[in-house]
């Protein structure tokens, strides 16, 4: 069968919506789930996926052309006031930043645009594996890695308590802080740098209020440009499948 994960509880199986409850699955131990996945994975085939993928791409080629052209024109316009050494792509290893990376490299006709990857020290193995593949496939693209090597997440949880909506210390310590330090070092002679970011309004209510171009509220050096801010999940996968781009294997497991 061709199986796509639409949401956490809705799957598209051979083109039809099927609801699936995860209640029973969540009662099982991670070890048991992992063993089941490993035992069944050898039976998986991309035959039917490719069949539906080709139809999906063909049916939506006009949509792909429209969003692709508009995003590239936006990137080229925002880049006019900056030189290459004042631009970078914020790269997480997720599907959105993967698309932005491809758009920017194509839009600027330049593989040497800097990519910033913030290693939070809690990255899943498939993300680290994808980052490695990306670096191998984009040998001319500089990848700067920001990582807090002095702090341990679990040790800090013992002292402060786990992160929450009220106290989101993990982002400051392991993401924003590490990236800011790396940015200041990499662009120490620059007053402002242009960041191409993969944020989208459809991701949440709060992000629905974001501007497409703005100054970063967290990192003062950054002018943030969001080429795909109006895209839906549909558009992200349309782009990835139309362009046949490699992506993080976590999505193939339904994440």
């Amino acid at each position: 069968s061709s199986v796509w994960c639409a949401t956490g509880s809705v799957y598209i199986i051979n083109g039809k919506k099927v609801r699936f409850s995860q209640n029973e699955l969540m009662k099982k131990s991670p070890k048991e789930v992992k063993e089941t996945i490993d035992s069944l994975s050898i039976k998986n085939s991309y035959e039917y996926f490719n069949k539906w993928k080709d139809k999906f791409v063909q049916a939506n080629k006009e949509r792909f052309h429209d969003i692709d052209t508009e995003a590239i024109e936006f990137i080229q316009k925002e880049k006019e006031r900056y030189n290459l050494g004042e631009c970078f792509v914020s790269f997480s290893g997720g599907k959105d930043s993967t698309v932005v990376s491809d758009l920017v490299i194509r839009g600027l006709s330049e593989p040497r645009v800097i990519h910033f990857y913030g290693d939070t020290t809690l990255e899943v193995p498939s993300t680290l594996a994808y980052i490695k593949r990306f670096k191998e496939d984009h040998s001319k693209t500089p990848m700067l890695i920001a990582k807090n090597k002095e702090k341990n997440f679990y040790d800090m949880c013992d002292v402060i308590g786990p992160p929450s909506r009220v106290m989101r210390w993990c982002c400051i310590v392991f993401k924003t802080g590490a990236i800011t330090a790396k940015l200041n070092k990499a662009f120490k002679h620059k007053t402002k740098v242009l960041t191409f970011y993969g944020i989208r309004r459809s991701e949440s209510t709060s992000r629905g209020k974001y501007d497409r171009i703005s100054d970063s509220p967290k990192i003062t050096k950054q002018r943030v440009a969001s080429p795909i801010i109006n895209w839906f999940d549909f558009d992200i996968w349309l782009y990835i499948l139309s362009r046949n781009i490699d992506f993080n294997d976590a999505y193939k497991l339904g994440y």
Side-chain angles (χ1 to χ4, degrees), residues 18-225:
V18 176
R19 291 198 171 274
F20 171 76
S21 172
Q22 296 189 26
N23 292 337
E24 291 300 316
L25 178 65
M26 298 307 290
K27 294 176 185 176
K28 297 182 179 181
S29 70
K31 182 181 178 182
E32 184 182 356
V33 174
K34 180 73 166 57
E35 288 174 350
T36 304
I37 290 173
D38 289 342
S39 68
L40 296 175
S41 62
I42 56 173
K43 300 179 182 179
N44 288 342
S45 163
Y46 280 88
E47 177 186 353
Y48 294 102
F49 172 84
N50 290 331
K51 173 186 171 184
W52 284 92
K53 181 199 78 170
D54 293 341
K55 287 185 177 181
F56 174 67
V57 168
Q58 182 63 25
N60 295 286
K61 60 182 180 180
E62 289 186 15
R63 172 70 178 176
F64 167 76
H65 177 268
D66 289 345
I67 59 174
D68 179 52
T69 302
E70 194 280 333
I72 284 182
E73 288 177 351
F74 171 80
I75 290 166
Q76 292 170 340
K77 180 175 178 290
E78 294 305 321
K79 163 66 173 61
E80 288 176 356
R81 290 167 286 174
Y82 300 84
N83 61 49
L84 187 63
E86 297 171 328
C87 302
F88 73 91
V89 172
S90 180
F91 193 77
S92 68
K95 67 185 188 308
D96 299 340
S97 63
T98 293
V99 168
V100 169
S101 168
D102 193 65
L103 282 166
V104 170
I105 290 173
R106 289 174 57 227
L108 303 184
S109 300
E110 178 55 81
R112 295 175 299 170
V113 60
I114 295 171
H115 282 46
F116 256 82
Y117 169 59
D119 185 342
T120 63
T121 74
L122 295 171
E123 307 299 298
V124 296
S126 61
T127 298
L128 297 176
Y130 175 61
I131 294 295
K132 182 180 179 181
R133 292 201 308 272
F134 182 91
K135 290 167 70 175
E136 291 171 352
D137 294 339
H138 299 77
S139 58
K140 294 182 180 180
T141 302
M143 177 76 76
L144 301 183
I145 299 176
K147 182 177 182 180
N148 189 334
K149 299 178 181 179
E150 299 175 0
K151 305 288 185 183
N152 179 279
F153 176 82
Y154 298 104
D155 289 345
M156 291 192 68
C157 283
D158 288 338
V159 176
I160 306 172
S164 67
R165 286 184 178 272
V166 178
M167 194 173 182
R168 297 177 62 187
W169 57 263
C170 58
C171 187
I172 296 169
V173 175
F174 293 101
K175 191 175 182 180
T176 310
I179 291 174
T180 301
K182 193 77 173 182
L183 267 176
N184 289 336
K185 186 176 180 180
F187 299 103
K188 58 184 176 182
H189 299 303
K190 308 292 183 183
T191 55
K192 189 70 75 174
V193 291
L194 181 65
T195 308
F196 290 106
Y197 206 54
I199 204 162
R200 293 184 295 112
R201 287 176 177 145
S202 65
E203 291 179 291
S204 68
T205 303
S206 60
R207 292 185 176 185
K209 301 172 185 176
Y210 282 20
D211 294 324
R212 197 176 193 187
I213 182 83
S214 63
D215 290 323
S216 171
K218 295 181 180 179
I219 304 174
T220 55
K221 274 184 180 286
Q222 282 193 100
R223 180 74 170 163
V224 179

